[in-house]
Amino acid sequence: MRLILGIIAIAATYLNLFRYATGKDYKWAMAMGLSFTALTVVADYSMVADWVKVEDWPALLDVVPKMAAALWVLTILSILLNTAPLLLELKSKTDD
């Protein structure tokens, strides 16, 4: 599930940037990109919670440290990419 949500988040982010580049309304795509990023993080957290329930300590020790760093980086990247059109639009309005 988390893989599907992640792919949808990437696709929505691409759509957001594409719609901005072509001059179309991008705000729904931006909201979708950020929402699916959040759902991906929650799905990852749920997976970790399941490992804790069954006391799968080797899985937690192997995956969680690297996954935590990756989630931070990818979430920050998603926020920056999805809000970039909004920030660029605001900047162009202040330059006029």
Side-chain angles (χ1 to χ4, degrees):
M1 183 60 141
R2 66 190 179 97
L3 183 62
I4 293 169
L5 292 171
I7 290 170
I8 294 170
I10 291 168
T13 300
Y14 173 77
L15 180 65
N16 174 25
L17 295 172
F18 177 76
R19 290 185 65 83
Y20 174 74
T22 58
K24 297 180 181 173
D25 185 28
Y26 59 87
K27 292 179 180 156
W28 277 106
M30 178 179 62
M32 285 176 33
L34 291 171
S35 298
F36 278 102
T37 298
L39 290 172
T40 303
V41 171
V42 171
D44 281 335
Y45 189 85
S46 295
M47 179 185 65
V48 170
D50 290 340
W51 289 346
V52 170
K53 284 179 192 173
V54 297
E55 298 181 5
D56 190 355
W57 307 123
L60 290 166
L61 291 170
D62 288 342
V63 174
V64 171
K66 292 176 186 153
M67 187 177 74
L71 286 175
W72 273 105
V73 170
L74 293 173
T75 302
I76 290 169
L77 185 62
S78 176
I79 292 168
L80 292 174
L81 286 173
N82 278 297
T83 58
L86 184 64
L87 298 174
L88 290 171
E89 188 176 275
L90 288 174
K91 184 179 183 281
S92 69
K93 284 183 181 177
T94 60
D95 289 343
D96 291 339

